[in-house]
């Protein structure tokens, strides 16, 4: 037990500073959406994979900031409308396809409307899907993470190390 407590304490001390306020995210669609495609990050990062999750929604649905931060991109990228928010501690979240209702440099609070969901996400089984991504660090060498693991409603469980 002492070993587990020590490992958890070291992990907390060495973890990045407050990620998105308390390190947790709110759902970007309301009511809570169903997940139509899960996170499947490639290894190494440059290979093919799915660097986020797809959440079922409908065209025109409001999209909310998962946490407070600064809008670092709001516009079209590779022909798709996208919003990206930098959060304290180095976390960045992305929302696409989203017609922006925010501008670059704007501060947003948790739950602020950042845009409207657009139809046309490839592979979406619903009338529209939000691709929601999260990453640590700059995009040039980002460490992609599953945003579902950061959602407030996801319970945090500590499991004992082997033995």
């Amino acid at each position: 037990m002492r070993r587990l407590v020590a490992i958890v304490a070291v992990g907390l001390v060495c973890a990045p500073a407050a990620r998105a306020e308390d390190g947790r995210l709110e759902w970007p669609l309301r009511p809570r959406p169903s997940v139509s495609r899960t996170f499947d990050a490639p290894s190494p990062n440059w290979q093919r994979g799915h660097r986020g999750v797809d959440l079922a929604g409908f065209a025109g649905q409001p999209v909310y900031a998962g946490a407070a931060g600064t809008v670092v991109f709001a516009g079209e990228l590779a022909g798709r409308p996208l919003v990206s928010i930098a959060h304290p501690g180095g976390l960045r979240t992305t929302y696409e396809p989203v017609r922006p209702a925010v501008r670059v440099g704007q501060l947003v609070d948790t739950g602020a409307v950042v845009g409207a969901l657009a139809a046309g996400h490839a592979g979406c089984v619903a009338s529209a899907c939000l691709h929601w991504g999260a990453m640590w660090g700059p995009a040039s060498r980002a460490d992609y993470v599953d945003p579902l693991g950061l959602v407030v409603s996801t319970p945090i469980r500590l499991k004992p190390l082997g033995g």
Side-chain angles (χ1 to χ4, degrees):
M1 181 65 170
R2 282 187 197 160
R3 182 175 169 195
L4 177 60
V5 171
I7 290 170
V8 170
V10 168
L12 291 174
V13 170
C14 296
R19 295 177 179 137
E21 292 179 26
D22 65 354
R24 305 304 300 259
L25 299 173
E26 298 287 334
W27 286 100
L29 296 178
R30 297 185 186 134
R32 180 180 172 169
S34 63
V35 177
S36 63
R37 186 172 175 197
T38 59
F39 181 77
D40 182 23
S43 181
N45 266 349
W46 51 266
Q47 289 188 344
R48 294 176 58 128
H50 193 239
R51 295 165 177 84
V53 296
D54 292 346
L55 306 175
F58 58 88
Q61 183 173 3
V63 177
Y64 303 94
T70 303
V71 177
V72 293
F73 188 87
E76 286 211 7
L77 181 65
R80 294 184 308 262
L82 177 130
V83 173
S84 183
I85 302 171
H87 307 281
L91 180 69
R92 181 179 293 207
T93 53
T94 57
Y95 311 79
E96 73 169 287
V98 173
R99 287 187 300 279
V102 292
R103 66 188 185 294
V104 172
Q106 183 175 340
L107 300 176
V108 293
D109 288 328
T110 303
V113 174
V114 297
L117 184 60
H121 184 63
C124 180
V125 296
S127 62
C129 282
L130 174 69
H131 177 81
W132 187 31
M135 63 180 146
W136 292 109
S140 62
R141 56 181 194 278
D143 183 19
Y144 295 94
V145 295
D146 185 350
L148 297 182
L150 300 174
V151 174
V152 171
S153 61
T154 303
I156 297 175
R157 296 192 172 111
L158 297 176
K159 296 183 180 184
L161 296 174

